[in-house]
Amino acid sequence: MNDNIKTVTVYPTTLELTTPAKPANGSNDDYDPHQHRELKNPTTNFQTFAHFLKASVGTGVLAMPSAFAHAGYVNGTILTLIIGSLALYCLHILIKCMYILCKRQRVPYVSFSQAMNLGLKQGPPWLRCLAPIAVPFVDGFLAFYHFGICCVYVVFIAESIKQLVDEYLVVWDVRLHMCIIIVPLMLIYSIKNLKLLAPFSSAANLLLLVGFCIILYYIFEELPPLSERDPFVSAGKLPTFFGTVLFALEAVGVILAIEENMATPKSFVGPCGILNSGMSIVLGLYILLGFFGYWKYGDESEGSITLNIPQSEIPAQVVKVFFAITTWISYALQGYVTAHILWDKYLARRFKETRRTLYELLFRSIIVLLTFACAVAIPDLSVFLSLVGSFCLSILGLIFPVLLQICVQYTEGYGPFRIKLIINLLLLGFSIFGGVVGTYVSIVDIIAVYK
């Protein structure tokens, strides 16, 4: 296959990772997996940073004022910091555990699903029965989660276009606008290489910066007294906040994919690495927009703040165009994970190599059509955000990393008084509770929308 078409990483298969390899000297401390990765199209640190920001700053950030309306401005600020810190911590332990397992196996890289499979096999005996289903289970959740993000993106792009067309041309149903964007989505989704997507991500980040400046201009214009807003709200609204913030903050599949394709992966997780630096920027931006957006619009905050700013003014319309373009680019970045898992791991080998590219493009077109169908079925953006965040990200971004660390630390011990195990169990309990309650409330909200 042409090197310019697709990024290919040469790693052992899942079957080759079932039994830990024994190095000749009896130790695996001298083996550094990062030095043995073989990438045909690795990304630079700058390209990786651009991808990280674009993957983490999507439509979710525009929903932060609505999220704060379900928490209050004090609660919202504190809880966003807590949830963001937990999400960052879980990403760190996930990447660290994957690295440890690579050293134990003496292989360059293991995927998220392979790491869960290996971790469960090496973990507590009562968890080892879950190892056989770990690979399809994790892959399924990752593919479904990023598919769900793409569905939300279809809704957002169509809503943005509808507002402009309604203002200047003709009033159409949002579903007609979804039909119009199918072809552009198929075109951007046909790009299968993260390195080729990097210039798009950089351009999108510039558009985002300009767009946020315009939004903040409208927010700071004639702010009402802060006393008119609630610092705290009833606990019954918090699950929706939890799901929305999780959705906004984390794109675990894309983050792992861009780390895998780095030329210098050690630069990703250092104290001042891409992960910490990028997440600090993202958290600051989310709190800024959430706090002041809620201050400005209060309980009237929409699922996307672009629906609150004046619809007829030129700067506001420019914002909608910019965010529609950046979301269109993000569609390819988020959808990369779904296609990479389903096609590369499960479907590609079923087709002859001479026609594999053609069938992959056809498969990607089918994914676009399926996201369109789901977006038509549930066009309410806010409830969909919360459902995807609560259900998928509580599992992928919080529960699985903690469970993996419990398994990886099993052979090394949990420290004095099993303190590491206690911390992980507390995190596990919080994640399960937040995910279950958030998912339940989101489903109730969706039922209410249909009624």
Side-chain angles (χ1 to χ4, degrees):
M1 189 175 290
N2 192 320
D3 290 350
N4 294 324
I5 296 294
K6 186 169 186 172
T7 300
V8 178
T9 312
V10 183
Y11 300 134
T13 64
T14 307
L15 293 176
E16 294 171 316
L17 295 172
T18 53
T19 305
K22 300 293 184 183
N25 62 1
S27 170
N28 56 14
D29 289 341
D30 60 332
Y31 182 83
D32 185 357
H34 291 160
Q35 296 179 2
H36 293 79
R37 291 189 185 180
E38 297 178 11
L39 300 169
K40 290 188 176 181
N41 296 293
T43 54
T44 65
N45 287 358
F46 177 79
Q47 291 171 332
T48 302
F49 189 68
H51 278 320
F52 181 90
L53 290 180
K54 191 66 217 74
S56 300
V57 183
T59 58
V61 67
L62 301 176
M64 286 305 294
S66 174
F68 269 58
H70 289 86
Y73 61 83
V74 174
N75 249 355
T77 302
I78 295 172
L79 291 178
T80 300
L81 281 172
I82 292 174
I83 295 172
S85 300
L86 285 177
L88 178 61
Y89 172 74
C90 288
L91 280 171
H92 271 287
I93 65 174
L94 173 59
I95 294 172
K96 180 181 178 182
C97 288
M98 291 169 67
Y99 181 81
I100 292 172
L101 289 170
C102 285
K103 285 178 70 72
R104 290 180 183 176
Q105 301 296 136
R106 297 181 71 82
V107 294
Y109 187 79
V110 292
S111 67
F112 191 176
S113 57
Q114 291 170 342
M116 286 300 299
N117 175 269
L118 287 168
L120 288 168
K121 286 179 178 178
Q122 300 173 23
W126 56 277
L127 285 174
R128 292 174 187 174
C129 61
L130 300 175
I133 64 171
V135 171
F137 197 73
V138 175
D139 282 342
F141 263 98
L142 273 173
F144 176 75
Y145 165 60
H146 288 279
F147 176 84
I149 292 180
C150 289
C151 294
V152 173
Y153 285 0
V154 172
V155 176
F156 179 82
I157 297 170
E159 287 280 5
S160 299
I161 295 174
K162 173 178 167 56
Q163 292 165 30
L164 293 175
V165 174
D166 287 356
E167 183 70 25
Y168 292 105
L169 297 174
V170 62
V171 178
W172 284 351
D173 187 276
V174 68
R175 293 171 178 83
L176 290 177
H177 293 285
M178 292 180 189
C179 295
I180 293 172
I181 64 174
I182 287 177
V183 173
L185 288 174
M186 286 183 176
L187 290 175
I188 191 73
Y189 200 42
S190 65
I191 301 176
K192 301 173 285 182
N193 187 336
L194 284 178
K195 192 173 183 66
L196 293 179
L197 278 174
F200 290 92
S201 291
S202 299
N205 288 331
L206 291 176
L207 294 179
L208 281 174
L209 179 61
V210 176
F212 283 130
C213 289
I214 297 174
I215 288 175
L216 290 174
Y217 163 76
Y218 282 110
I219 287 176
F220 289 127
E221 188 178 38
E222 299 180 3
L223 277 172
L226 187 58
S227 58
E228 294 182 6
R229 306 298 178 228
D230 296 324
F232 306 94
V233 299
S234 63
K237 291 185 176 182
L238 290 179
T240 302
F241 170 85
F242 176 83
T244 304
V245 173
L246 259 187
F247 177 91
L249 276 175
E250 240 192 298
V252 59
V254 176
I255 290 172
L256 292 178
I258 61 179
E259 188 272 342
E260 175 189 352
N261 283 278
M262 281 188 71
T264 55
K266 288 185 182 296
S267 303
F268 193 77
V269 292
C272 297
I274 292 171
L275 183 56
N276 286 344
S277 302
M279 189 61 81
S280 299
I281 294 172
V282 169
L283 266 179
L285 181 61
Y286 281 31
I287 292 173
L288 175 70
L289 201 60
F291 182 90
F292 287 103
Y294 173 62
W295 184 352
K296 173 73 172 183
Y297 299 109
D299 292 335
E300 301 299 320
S301 300
E302 299 282 356
S304 170
I305 196 173
T306 56
L307 300 175
N308 287 108
I309 61 180
Q311 304 296 305
S312 58
E313 296 185 12
I314 297 298
Q317 293 164 359
V318 170
V319 167
K320 290 163 190 173
V321 172
F322 282 1
F323 276 103
I325 293 172
T326 60
T327 306
W328 172 67
I329 294 170
S330 294
Y331 185 97
L333 197 58
Q334 297 289 348
Y336 172 88
V337 178
T338 300
H340 176 65
I341 291 173
L342 297 181
W343 179 259
D344 292 342
K345 296 185 70 172
Y346 295 99
L347 297 177
R349 62 178 178 267
R350 300 177 182 271
F351 300 95
K352 294 181 179 179
E353 190 170 352
T354 54
R355 292 191 171 185
R356 199 169 287 170
T357 299
L358 176 62
Y359 282 118
E360 182 177 2
L361 290 174
L362 179 61
F363 172 71
R364 285 171 173 263
S365 299
I366 292 172
I367 290 179
V368 173
L369 292 175
L370 288 175
T371 58
F372 160 76
C374 292
V376 168
I378 309 178
D380 190 294
L381 190 63
S382 59
V383 293
F384 206 176
L385 286 174
S386 181
L387 176 62
V388 173
S390 298
F391 181 64
C392 292
L393 265 180
S394 60
I395 295 175
L396 290 171
L398 301 177
I399 295 174
F400 282 173
V402 173
L403 191 61
L404 179 60
Q405 181 163 257
I406 291 174
C407 294
V408 170
Q409 290 177 342
Y410 177 73
T411 56
E412 303 169 355
Y414 297 116
F417 307 105
R418 296 198 166 189
I419 186 66
K420 294 180 181 178
L421 178 62
I422 293 172
I423 292 173
N424 284 327
L425 289 177
L426 289 173
L427 275 174
L428 196 62
F430 170 80
S431 305
I432 292 173
F433 175 77
V436 169
V437 175
T439 301
Y440 171 77
V441 172
S442 299
I443 292 174
V444 170
D445 288 343
I446 289 176
I447 294 173
V449 167
Y450 275 96
K451 283 185 178 181

